[in-house]
Amino acid sequence: LDIGCGPGTFIGQLPADAPAVGIDLSARQIEYARARYGSESRAFYNCTMDRLPAHLDGFDAITAVELIEHLSPEEVKVALESAVERLVPGGKLVLTTPNFGGVWPLVEALLNRAATVTYEMQHTNKFTRSSLAVLLTMLGLREVRVATYLGVAPFIASFGWNTADQVSKWEQRFLEPRSGLLLIGTGTKAYR
């Protein structure tokens, strides 16, 4: 299950026969996802996590990629508690969000000054490694892990893919374990 799936691109990268469900609030995004990636094994719903049809249950993995920073604390709580309820025991929840404990606030400030679209009103939750770990633990998940990833390599890509690839390799080795721009948090639903 991919929460906040947008146009379904993430699900579209899975093997064609892998069963997957995507949900999003945008009816236009869901319409596109259904047309582009929908199949017998892939379904897309225009709803919130707590409104997902009850028969859709028992997920091995649930993802929320770059979503929770856009939700209010109450919306995060409702969405993620609903998600954990639908995981099978041993199933994984995977979240990504900007790393506000690193250099992301500086990057965001620069983007807000240079771009016509800003993040000021979009990022209502500002997670750090420790606050994301606390959230995952409070959901009752086990084997909680939070790491950083992604540095400046995507911004370097405008100078050429080879340069960006070299920067990415350097970042993965020296930078990302401590101060990547984004966070990835995972947790496993306990067996009862």
Side-chain angles (χ1 to χ4, degrees):
L1 171 65
D2 186 25
I3 307 170
C5 70
T9 309
F10 180 69
I11 288 175
Q13 300 304 306
L14 299 173
D17 60 344
V21 173
I23 64 171
D24 201 280
L25 288 178
S26 170
R28 291 181 68 197
Q29 296 281 3
I30 291 299
E31 184 179 309
Y32 177 87
R34 285 177 180 154
R36 179 76 171 95
Y37 302 111
S39 68
E40 271 190 46
S41 62
R42 295 177 178 163
F44 296 92
Y45 294 86
N46 178 214
C47 66
T48 58
M49 188 63 220
D50 59 319
R51 302 277 188 208
L52 186 65
H55 73 278
L56 296 170
D57 199 13
F59 291 99
D60 294 318
I62 298 179
T63 58
V65 177
E66 302 304 305
L67 173 69
I68 60 174
E69 66 274 13
H70 300 286
L71 304 177
S72 72
E74 181 60 27
E75 290 169 324
V76 170
K77 181 181 184 302
V78 169
L80 297 183
E81 285 177 351
S82 299
V84 171
E85 287 175 11
R86 297 196 189 225
L87 279 171
V88 298
K92 287 213 182 277
L93 178 66
V94 179
L95 307 174
T96 68
T97 189
N99 178 12
F100 281 91
V103 295
W104 178 262
L106 175 62
V107 171
E108 188 170 298
L110 292 171
L111 290 172
N112 288 344
R113 291 180 65 100
T116 56
V117 176
T118 68
Y119 289 103
E120 290 168 337
M121 299 302 291
Q122 294 182 38
H123 290 167
T124 58
N125 272 311
K126 298 180 179 187
F127 290 94
T128 63
R129 287 179 77 161
S130 60
S131 65
L132 187 57
V134 167
L135 173 64
L136 292 167
T137 302
M138 289 177 63
L139 291 167
L141 298 172
R142 305 287 184 251
E143 301 171 15
V144 169
R145 291 186 178 91
V146 177
T148 68
Y149 70 102
L150 193 63
V152 297
F155 304 104
I156 302 295
S158 60
F159 299 109
W161 286 112
N162 289 336
T163 304
D165 287 342
Q166 293 304 314
V167 169
S168 179
K169 287 176 186 173
W170 180 84
E171 288 176 340
Q172 289 171 12
R173 186 165 181 200
F174 298 108
L175 176 68
E176 289 178 5
R178 292 171 291 287
S179 59
L181 292 176
L182 303 178
L183 297 171
I184 182 165
T186 62
T188 303
K189 185 173 181 175
Y191 290 91
R192 296 202 187 256

